Amino acid sequence: LPQPLLYNRISNRQFSAGNMKGAGASERDRGAFSSLSAVVEQAANQSSIMKMRLHRARSSLASLNTSDLRLHGRENDMDMLLGKLRNIDNLKDEIIMVSGSSGCGKSSLVMRGLREPAKKMGIAFCGGKFDLNNNALPYSAVVDSLTELANHVLASENVSQILAAINDTLGEEDMQLIGQAMPGCRNLLSVCLVDNGRSSHIKLGGGKEAVSRMQYAIRRLMKAIGSHLRVLIFIDDLQWADDASLDLLLSLQTDDEISSLLLVGAYRDNEVTDGHPLTIRLCEADKLGSTITTIELKNLDCKTVQSLVAEVLRMEDDTDKVSNLSTTIHKKTEGNPFFVLTFLTSIYDEELLEYNMAAMQWVWDDDIVKERFVTANVTSMLVSKLKRFKLAEQNVIKVASCLGASFSTTVLSTIIKESQRSSTMQRTSYLRKSFTFSDDGSDNLDGIITTYETAGIWERESEDNNRFVHDQIQSAAQELIPIEEQAYFKSVIGGILLKNLDEAMIDESLFVIVSLRNYVSSSLTEEERSDLVRLNARAGFKASDNAAFDTAVVYFQAARELLGSEAWEFDQELMVRLYSAEAQARFVMGDLVVMEQLIEEILSKEDLSVKDKFQAYETKVLAATSGNRFGEAISTASYVCDQLGFKPLPAKAPKSRLMKDYMTTKNALKGLSKEDILALPNLIDERVIMKQRMMELRLAPQYHANPDLHPIVVLNMVRETVKSGLNRSACDAFSTYGFILCGAFGELARGREMGEIAELLLERSDMRPMKSRTIYIVENMIYHWTAPLGMTLAPFLKGYQAGLESGDIDSAAYNLGFRGWNLWFSSRPLDEISHQLKINKGVLIKLKNENLRLCLLPHFQAAINLQGNSPKPELSGEEMVYNELYDLSVKTHNNLVRATAALTQLELFVIFQDWMSAKKLMAKAGDLRPVVFGFFQSVRYTFVECLICLKVAQASGSWMEKRDMKARAKKSLKILCGWAEKGNVNVVHTIHLLQAEYFAFNGNSVEAEEKYKEAVTAAARSGFLQDKALTHELAGKYYLKKGDDYWAKYHMNLAHTTYLDWKATAKAVDLSNKYPQFVGDDSE
């Protein structure tokens, strides 16, 4: 009963506490009174609850509905994203980018459109966000996303399988590297990274190898996870991403071996120009074959804003009533969704928008709303909103905004507690006021955090982490700090963290702390400036160790600028390390101008030793070689060796000097077995180590600029190794020595032994960086001399893999490129060759090795042409045009591309028997052997040259030409026979074929026919299909000319069949067209 009515009924019965206690009151009356009292009390309680519920209902109606809103105007975009998510297993090469202005709803679209559906589909949704205020933190958003992914994995049903896959895929050192750069992955990787309270630290080494190694390790981690778990990574605010993160994301996106990974990014299109790093990476991804799907979010139109406003005000059933208000809001905010909601919240807070409980609807005055806010902007609205909070609450959010878009509650608490005791806070009245965090002196941080969560200012990410709901709110929070105080305010926060966090926490938050301290670089005491210099140096070295070179240079430069002209007087040892590391970082980034300035600064210091300057010299040589300034690279390396006290090498190498060095080296190795060499002591003399490194760096530019001196450098390295001991340079020394022994001196067995020594050295733990390069040298330049060519194919793949693992992507590319060449020459079926070369071409593009990509194109195009239906001896098509590629190679002095293109075109002329065109090209291209010295191409060219000369001599009407061509062929045949006598099994069948042609030319029929048979048998035994087919064809022509149709048909049919086995359809058609009477019927 309603309470008044209940009381009336009770009073009408004349019950009261007084008369019920009197003597005249009966037990029945007293019992009735007790019961009624209980009823009254219960009714009163129920009334109170009803009032509370009514109050809550009224409060709910009178508050804005700003949670779980529909994404107005984004329905089609939501459907598209959901469709992509459902097809995640087939989106290997696709990346989704969401672009638009700040506040247009990019993050909301992805989170609402993908996060919950992904969870229902068992897809791990992992997100990260870059922060404008902390853009000097390497990999920040990637770290956040991989941390979330690690948590997904550990909570997954497949965790045991995923951990097993990770253990099978990653080595312990790679796990440590990932854990070092991505701390959130440490638990997942199950690697102990703690030693005496500090994380185990591994240096990646310098240069581009460090970047490649880090990227490859993380790609393998993603490959292991992706084999058991579908993953969606969302990276927000890519316009603020560091270069290292962008390169890593591009590397993940373009890795074909990572399955079930969908990468989604968001960025502000008004901040990303054509020259922006993100634009450059997206163009690279497009060139690499990735499909880039871009969702461009525009502001909402007036009608959609009206729909949004109606939902916020719970007036969806009568949207016309909000028409005028929506028009005002649309005009003010231009339809930006975040600004629309901010505007509504602002006029609500200002009580210009109120809920009329009597009318049960929202009321406002359109004219007052227009007039009041016509000049206001959204940022000022947010600032005004924040200023309505208590002073202590404002102070908390000011500090939190300086820590980043995401911040730790523990760190925030440390600042609040320690600031109360810091004398620094007494420097200015503003600091004293700003570091007051409660009205009564109590610590109410938890309450303040909850207040901001309730107000929608930030949201809790985890137990210890919170994130601002929008970066505009973070920016508004920072505007609470006067502009003239902001820098010092942030610096003070950094100082508090530095003084009060333990060493482990400092290392974890190092980049944040240093960035905050860097806001004030003037008005520092000497001690403060000294500490800040060392902090920046420490941050720079840490970033370099994690291959984040673009971040490293920020801190290195800050340290240098703090010291100015006094840098070298401050701490010379530290400056040497800093300048050298920054020069190396600048080289990796391609900033060669600043790199040169830093190197020259180091080299100009006369009181520094060669050892002090060595890293600078090393970078200088690498940069010169990378820029094709081979002479500069050679002279720098030679100068360093001279400064170290070693006798300089000659500027020229006459044959007599080469033979002298060769004999000296031979004598140095005399009596040393393979085991003796492997048992040599480790090289420990630092002076010799530096010398050997310079000689190692000199090898490539020497080979390109002055190949005559290349053997002198190699022989010197071998002798020094025997004399002083083994280190990583020994691999280059012995592998290259073996290459020279085979190619220059014809000592095939001894050369192979040197190659085996180099490979055995790779088993040493310190030789890992040399593995990829050693493999491509021994397989491409040594082993083909004495082993079947097909046996090199599998090792090349191991060399490619080793290069990726160690970060030596140049050597990885060479392994892949040389394997492509040997695929062609070893007569694999053409469909297999074209398939493999297509893959290799794409990989070489990703590895950014344009030179080797161009070298593969001739073989790729030849394989395509031969599989066609039209006989086509010209090396031209969709992949390349011979004349264009040849002219480009001549123009750019790219002799390797020129030689590869010319040799492949010669091969096609031979296959299609166009001897006159072959003769002209051979004359134009010249002798290609010096260009491909030691490669199998040099062997192949010798065979092709000999065959062309014999066929031209047979057809020529000039006795002088016959004589010259025959003499040239005889010389080439002699070279081939010499190789065969020393154990080269890949030339035996070619020698038999050339001898057959030679005998045929001289009219020795019996010998010619016998040699044709031997050539066919040897080619079949060695697996050279194209040469077997060629031998049958030439034998068929021989018998046809002789008038023996039976054997002509026999060989022509076998030629036709063998060409088809090789998948050379175009050549088979060519034979059918030219010899229809002999090809097609093999019944006999």
Side-chain angles (χ1 to χ4, degrees), residues 146-358:
L146 291 188
T147 299
E148 191 172 354
L149 176 59
N151 294 333
H152 271 291
V153 171
L154 292 172
S156 168
E157 296 177 354
N158 301 327
V159 61
S160 58
Q161 295 97 313
I162 295 175
L163 290 176
I166 292 173
N167 284 324
D168 290 341
T169 304
L170 292 172
E172 183 175 334
E173 190 171 291
D174 288 331
M175 291 185 190
Q176 288 179 299
L177 287 174
I178 296 173
Q180 186 172 292
M182 310 286 161
C185 293
R186 290 175 184 171
N187 290 337
L188 171 64
L189 297 173
S190 302
V191 175
C192 181
L193 296 174
V194 179
D195 181 21
N196 295 326
R198 296 188 62 177
S199 296
S200 305
H201 192 72
I202 293 180
K203 288 190 176 182
L204 275 169
K208 298 176 182 178
E209 291 84 357
V211 178
S212 302
R213 185 178 175 190
M214 173 64 75
Q215 290 177 359
Y216 187 65
I218 295 176
R219 291 206 313 270
R220 285 194 294 167
L221 173 65
M222 293 302 300
K223 178 184 175 183
I225 294 173
S227 62
H228 298 280
L229 180 68
R230 293 178 295 175
V231 179
L232 187 157
I233 293 180
F234 172 48
I235 304 295
D236 201 3
D237 284 324
L238 281 165
Q239 72 277 358
W240 297 326
D242 55 293
D243 286 349
S245 294
L246 290 175
D247 288 334
L248 176 57
L249 292 171
L250 177 64
S251 176
L252 287 173
Q253 167 59 30
T254 55
D255 192 324
D256 295 331
E257 295 186 1
I258 300 176
S259 58
S260 300
L261 170 66
L262 177 59
L263 184 60
V264 181
Y267 64 93
R268 297 181 182 180
D269 53 6
N270 60 321
E271 296 185 26
V272 176
T273 61
D274 290 343
H276 192 280
L278 175 61
T279 306
I280 295 171
R281 271 39 172 229
L282 289 176
C283 290
E284 288 183 25
D286 182 58
K287 290 178 182 177
L288 293 172
S290 294
T291 300
I292 302 173
T293 301
T294 301
I295 300 175
E296 297 181 6
L297 296 188
K298 303 297 183 183
N299 285 342
L300 307 179
D301 58 30
C302 194
K303 184 177 180 180
T304 307
V305 169
Q306 184 175 339
S307 173
L308 173 58
V309 172
E311 185 181 3
V312 173
L313 301 181
R314 300 182 184 85
M315 299 175 67
E316 295 98 323
D317 296 337
D318 194 1
T319 58
D320 290 341
K321 289 186 178 180
V322 299
S323 177
N324 290 339
L325 178 62
S326 301
T327 301
T328 300
I329 293 175
H330 182 268
K331 183 177 180 181
K332 176 61 187 172
T333 64
E334 299 181 349
N336 184 289
F338 178 73
F339 297 170
V340 168
L341 295 175
T342 303
F343 191 98
L344 278 168
T345 304
S346 179
I347 62 175
Y348 172 77
D349 291 340
E350 293 287 333
E351 298 183 355
L352 299 179
L353 178 65
E354 294 183 307
Y355 191 78
N356 187 315
M357 297 301 296

Side-chain angles (χ1 to χ4, degrees), residues 48 52 98 171 226 264 319 434 489 500 524 662 725 785 794 796 825 838 929 931 984 1012 1041:
S48 214
M52 186 181 298
V98 184
V264 181
T319 58
S434 294
F489 186 86
N500 294 284
L524 296 173
Y662 165 68
W785 291 102
F796 277 131
F825 292 120
K838 182 179 181 180
R929 275 171 295 224
V931 180
N984 193 327
Y1012 280 129
K1041 183 178 180 181

Side-chain angles (χ1 to χ4, degrees), residues 594-608:
V594 178
M595 179 207 75
E596 288 286 353
Q597 293 171 354
L598 294 167
I599 289 175
E600 291 308 314
E601 182 79 12
I602 297 171
L603 301 185
S604 66
K605 303 300 177 185
E606 296 181 357
D607 55 337
L608 293 178

Side-chain angles (χ1 to χ4, degrees), residues 465-499:
N465 265 67
N466 295 278
R467 177 177 290 278
F468 283 95
V469 170
H470 199 279
D471 48 52
Q472 291 281 357
I473 297 176
Q474 182 189 1
S475 298
Q478 290 205 13
E479 288 204 17
L480 293 174
I481 311 168
I483 294 177
E484 65 275 10
E485 297 283 355
Q486 283 185 9
Y488 193 69
F489 186 86
K490 293 176 181 179
S491 179
V492 166
I493 293 173
I496 293 173
L497 294 176
L498 186 62
K499 289 180 181 178

